[in-house]
Amino acid sequence: MPKASKKKQRKAEDFKKVKLKVGKKKAPPTNTTDTSFTSKSITLGAQSITADKTEALTNSRKLTLKDVLTQMRHYSAATRKDAVLGLTDFLTLHPEVLNTELGSIIDGTVKLIVDNEPAVRRVLLKLYSSYLPDVPRRELAPFTPLMVIFTCSGMTHILDDIRSDAVKFLNLLIELAPQDLSQYASKILPNFFSLLETNTQSSEDSRGSASLNSRTSLLTKGNRLDIMRSCYNYLKVYTDPLLRNDDPLGFMSPDVGGTAHQVKEDEEQQSWQFPDGSIYFYPNTPAPFAHLNLFGESVGAGASSDATSGDANAVIRAQSKEAFTRLFQFLQATWMESSTMFGTNQIADDQSLDLCGFVMRILQTLWQASYKDSIPLTDKQLFGFTRQCMVHFPFGGAYVGSNTVEESLLAMNIKVCELVARLRSGAAGSSSEKAVAEVSKWTKRCVKFILTTLGFKLGKTQVQVSAAFRHEHFVELLPVVWRLVHCGNDKYADKLLMSVIHYADVCPLASANKTLCIRFLRSIIEIQWSRASTDRAVVGMQEQLSEMLANWALGLPKLLWQLRDKNFAASRAAIETLRLINQRTKLLDASQTDTLQSSLVTLFCVTVPSKGTVFGPFKQYPDDLQCAVLETVHYCPRRSDRLAQAMQACQNDITSGRAMALLDELVTAPS
């Protein structure tokens, strides 16, 4: 218990009398109210509901653009979603604002790319997809860096759904500004590596196949497919400056294989010689007078530009090799997981087939960018991947069913053939006889697939060209044929080129493949039977192939009659081939040349006893084609009177002055 003295002390403190001191004021009572306070004015902003908006642009809810963009920063996800929908409504009513206020719109909405609410990101993606494609690229370019920053931030976000949606935003940017997006490879590609690459220390099973790490294996097939599709789209855009070729036959340039060297140059053409002795005429070389600086060309500037382009290509190759190294384990594991369907007879248009397709597309882009031409056999990863592919090659076998599945299988098979052809090109410098022998076996199987695809007769079996064989497949297949022909071994050259000649005869008249076939064979004729090579032995071409090409060339006038006005591109290619044969080649002998020239009469007109005079396709040609036909006739060694009369009968159908002058010259002075 407390002592009594302490209780007395506390009681005394409660009633203690305060002593006043001289010079000090008396303390105020304890119950005094303190009135020494200050006040501040409170200003209320004008509410939008009371504002005068009679002259302002508003949406259907009477909200201005400023009101809508302000709501984008609201703490409520529902309000932010309504703000995006309100902006969509605003742009629907006033689409012209998108050009005048694009900066404000992008700045106010771009932060929502990483919004925590999926519904907000979904409506924002729909807004961007609906209206940004209408914005000119030059107007969108200043805001691309800002959008890339937030997109990359979303791709590295801790939440899975934000990462997935960020990939969709990146796909949209790739469609909107592919060239502008290429310069951000150092920021974008590492994000794909983090999303797709497997752990370098991942365990391998008894067969030596890499397995997906725990993080990547959590991705569903759908998410994995979306990321791979986006990765392929970006790699395609990034490597476009290095791999793009506007001409489908650009692969037949003189530096194929990096082994051609210049041997002769004159005013008209530039000839190139391969180590095997074959000649290639390349008419699209730079002007030989450029070094004279007649029109203000700067040699130094051109050299500097070439050096800059070379440095850029070197960067793309280095980045592609890094991407190949970082992504290969994931792609290989995905392939082995999804390609098991090829071992069964049940192939469906599902996600497994799509995954296999994108594995092949990504790898093809990377090996084309990483290796200029041939792939050395020392690249164990690509060599091992090819071995895995050849287990089921050709994929699908004789599958007949869905056109979509057939097209996918064809595309994958052609990519495998390209991979084998590049490995075969790199086998020359390999010291491993076992690896070279294995590549030779793969090559034989690929050649058989190509012959079957083009419908070439194998032995006694007649093969039909698949209905799923599209123009894009043929565009990818021709470089493979060319590479296999020029790999330094002529074992398969004749059969491959004969198959192209056969396909040139059977493909539909109005198809783009018809034109491409004729142009390809024209280049073959120019390479192997040019007059500049008459003193050399024709290399790589046997007598049977020469006879087949000659017979095909003799049938071109009949083909032109069949084409008429159905396919002017194919007609132009055929006429250029005839002009080349008459002007610069020794493909035809004297009797064949006379046969060809007599067939040219049918291009103009012929007399049929039952119908009288029947005009040929020359009458339906545009002016440039008419000139090309007359130039072809001009180079004929001997022009008959019958041909001159046929040309004169078409004189009234010529509208071009140049064509008329050529016709007058040919008619008045036949050779």
Side-chain angles (χ1 to χ4, degrees):
M1 294 180 63
K3 296 181 180 180
S5 58
K6 290 185 178 181
K7 289 185 178 181
K8 292 181 180 180
Q9 289 178 0
R10 294 194 190 100
K11 187 175 180 181
E13 288 177 359
D14 293 337
F15 299 97
K16 185 176 180 180
K17 183 178 181 181
V18 179
K19 295 182 179 180
L20 299 177
K21 295 183 179 180
V22 179
K24 289 189 177 182
K25 294 183 179 179
K26 183 179 179 180
T30 56
N31 58 350
T32 302
T33 302
D34 185 9
T35 59
S36 60
F37 61 88
T38 58
S39 64
K40 294 184 178 180
S41 61
I42 300 175
T43 303
L44 295 177
Q47 298 184 14
S48 59
I49 194 172
T50 60
D52 184 11
K53 301 178 182 177
T54 55
E55 297 183 0
L57 298 178
T58 61
N59 61 7
S60 57
R61 296 178 58 190
K62 304 304 180 183
L63 296 176
T64 64
L65 178 63
K66 183 178 179 181
D67 297 335
V68 173
L69 294 178
T70 301
Q71 293 179 358
M72 300 285 181
R73 302 188 296 269
H74 201 273
Y75 65 87
S76 172
T79 303
R80 296 195 300 272
K81 177 184 175 182
D82 290 341
V84 177
L85 295 176
L87 179 59
T88 303
D89 182 30
F90 186 91
L91 294 177
T92 303
L93 297 176
H94 312 288
E96 69 279 1
V97 176
L98 189 62
N99 296 324
T100 58
E101 299 293 339
L102 180 62
S104 301
I105 293 173
I106 296 295
D107 186 62
T109 58
V110 72
K111 301 178 183 64
L112 300 182
I113 292 178
V114 292
D115 194 276
N116 290 333
E117 181 61 35
V120 177
R121 300 192 303 271
R122 185 166 55 250
V123 294
L124 178 65
L125 180 61
K126 185 177 180 180
L127 171 67
Y128 281 177
S129 302
S130 301
Y131 293 99
L132 290 187
D134 298 332
V135 179
R137 176 176 166 267
R138 65 180 181 276
E139 301 292 339
L140 188 62
F143 310 103
T144 302
L146 183 63
M147 300 180 72
V148 169
I149 289 174
F150 280 94
T151 302
C152 290
S153 177
M155 293 176 68
T156 57
H157 202 275
I158 192 173
L159 298 179
D160 292 340
D161 56 343
I162 293 182
R163 292 200 299 268
S164 299
D165 287 343
V167 170
K168 297 177 182 178
F169 281 100
L170 180 63
N171 288 335
L172 178 62
L173 288 178
I174 293 173
E175 295 177 6
L176 296 177
Q179 293 83 4
D180 296 337
L181 220 61
S182 300
Q183 58 185 311
Y184 302 107
S186 59
K187 297 181 176 63
I188 295 176
L189 284 179
N191 294 334
F192 282 117
F193 299 157
S194 63
L195 289 173
L196 294 178
E197 71 176 342
T198 59
N199 190 347
T200 56
Q201 303 297 327
S202 60
S203 60
E204 297 188 356
D205 57 21
S206 57
R207 295 172 297 176
S209 60
S211 58
L212 294 174
N213 65 0
S214 57
R215 174 174 54 82
T216 310
S217 61
L218 292 177
L219 291 173
T220 63
K221 282 190 175 182
N223 290 339
R224 215 184 307 172
L225 183 60
D226 291 340
I227 298 173
M228 291 174 64
R229 181 183 288 108
S230 179
C231 182
Y232 167 72
N233 291 338
Y234 184 72
L235 285 172
K236 187 177 180 181
V237 167
Y238 177 59
T239 58
D240 183 66
L242 180 64
L243 304 179
R244 179 183 57 201
N245 199 330
D246 297 330
D247 185 4
L249 297 181
F251 58 88
M252 301 181 78
S253 61
D255 57 346
V256 170
T259 58
H261 58 277
Q262 183 179 350
V263 295
K264 177 177 150 183
E265 181 177 346
D266 54 30
E267 294 180 356
E268 297 181 355
Q269 60 195 11
Q270 192 173 17
S271 62
W272 297 76
Q273 181 184 7
F274 290 90
D276 60 3
S278 58
I279 298 293
Y280 180 74
F281 285 90
Y282 192 53
N284 297 325
T285 53
F289 52 77
H291 66 283
L292 300 178
N293 196 21
L294 299 177
F295 303 100
E297 301 94 346
S298 176
V299 178
S304 175
S305 175
D306 293 341
T308 303
S309 176
D311 293 342
N313 291 343
V315 171
I316 294 175
R317 291 193 186 279
Q319 191 71 270
S320 299
K321 287 184 178 180
E322 180 187 2
F324 174 79
T325 304
R326 300 282 295 272
L327 296 177
F328 180 78
Q329 285 189 346
F330 168 80
L331 296 174
Q332 185 185 37
T334 302
W335 173 266
M336 296 195 67
E337 177 186 343
S338 304
S339 63
T340 54
M341 62 180 175
F342 297 134
T344 65
N345 295 326
Q346 298 178 352
I347 301 177
D349 184 14
D350 57 6
Q351 292 180 342
S352 295
L353 184 64
D354 292 338
L355 285 172
C356 289
F358 275 105
V359 167
M360 294 299 301
R361 292 179 191 177
I362 294 174
L363 281 178
Q364 183 191 41
T365 303
L366 292 178
W367 79 55
Q368 287 179 348
S370 300
Y371 297 102
K372 185 177 181 181
D373 181 63
S374 60
I375 299 175
L377 300 188
T378 53
D379 191 330
K380 300 299 183 182
Q381 291 178 318
L382 279 176
F383 188 83
F385 179 75
T386 309
R387 180 181 291 153
Q388 294 173 358
C389 292
M390 297 307 292
V391 173
H392 302 293
F393 181 84
F395 308 122
Y399 172 86
V400 177
S402 170
N403 286 337
T404 304
V405 175
E406 287 190 47
E407 292 177 13
S408 300
L409 294 174
L410 265 173
M412 285 190 287
N413 286 326
I414 293 173
K415 289 176 175 60
V416 172
C417 290
E418 180 192 349
L419 179 57
V420 171
R422 286 176 177 263
L423 286 171
R424 186 168 183 259
S425 300
S430 176
S431 58
S432 175
E433 296 181 0
K434 183 178 179 181
V436 173
E438 195 168 5
V439 172
S440 298
K441 293 179 181 178
W442 298 342
T443 304
K444 183 177 181 180
R445 294 172 60 185
C446 290
V447 169
K448 183 178 179 181
F449 166 78
I450 294 173
L451 299 180
T452 304
T453 301
L454 295 179
F456 188 65
K457 188 175 181 180
L458 300 174
K460 298 181 180 180
T461 304
Q462 185 66 36
V463 184
Q464 295 291 333
V465 179
S466 173
F469 189 64
R470 306 297 182 193
H471 177 63
E472 54 270 21
H473 297 142
F474 192 51
V475 170
E476 286 196 356
L477 188 61
L478 277 182
V480 181
V481 173
W482 180 255
R483 193 175 298 278
L484 290 173
V485 168
H486 284 273
C487 276
N489 189 332
D490 305 323
K491 183 177 180 181
Y492 306 111
D494 294 346
K495 289 184 178 180
L496 288 170
L497 293 179
M498 288 177 189
S499 67
V500 177
I501 296 173
H502 170 77
Y503 183 68
D505 293 333
V506 301
C507 66
L509 293 175
S511 68
N513 287 353
K514 196 76 169 182
T515 305
L516 198 55
C517 271
I518 298 173
R519 290 185 57 207
F520 179 78
L521 295 174
R522 177 191 180 277
S523 299
I524 294 293
I525 294 173
E526 187 174 17
I527 292 170
Q528 295 293 349
W529 281 276
S530 63
R531 286 180 175 173
S533 62
T534 54
D535 296 334
R536 304 174 185 270
V538 177
V539 179
M541 302 295 173
Q542 297 181 358
E543 184 177 353
Q544 183 181 3
L545 177 61
S546 176
E547 183 180 354
M548 286 191 67
L549 270 175
N551 292 334
W552 173 78
L554 292 175
L556 288 178
K558 179 181 179 181
L559 174 63
L560 288 170
W561 181 277
Q562 294 172 342
L563 287 171
R564 301 187 73 87
D565 59 347
K566 298 177 183 177
N567 190 345
F568 283 145
S571 298
R572 182 176 289 104
I575 293 170
E576 290 175 353
T577 304
L578 290 173
R579 181 172 57 186
L580 171 70
I581 292 173
N582 288 332
Q583 181 183 6
R584 295 215 308 262
T585 68
K586 289 291 186 180
L587 176 65
L588 306 179
D589 56 25
S591 61
Q592 290 174 330
T593 301
D594 292 340
T595 302
L596 175 64
Q597 292 168 8
S598 63
S599 300
L600 293 177
V601 175
T602 60
L603 295 180
F604 300 95
C605 69
V606 292
T607 302
V608 181
S610 60
K611 297 183 179 180
T613 301
V614 178
F615 288 95
F618 180 85
K619 186 176 181 179
Q620 300 170 309
Y621 286 161
D623 295 341
D624 61 330
L625 271 185
Q626 289 183 345
C627 291
V629 171
L630 295 175
E631 289 174 359
T632 301
V633 175
H634 171 76
Y635 288 109
C636 290
R638 295 177 298 277
R639 295 188 296 274
S640 62
D641 294 337
R642 181 166 171 252
L643 181 58
Q645 294 172 1
M647 289 188 294
Q648 193 171 14
C650 298
Q651 190 170 7
N652 296 332
D653 300 312
I654 297 178
T655 58
S656 171
R658 181 168 177 267
M660 182 62 71
L662 283 171
L663 181 63
D664 292 340
E665 178 185 352
L666 294 173
V667 171
T668 56
S671 60

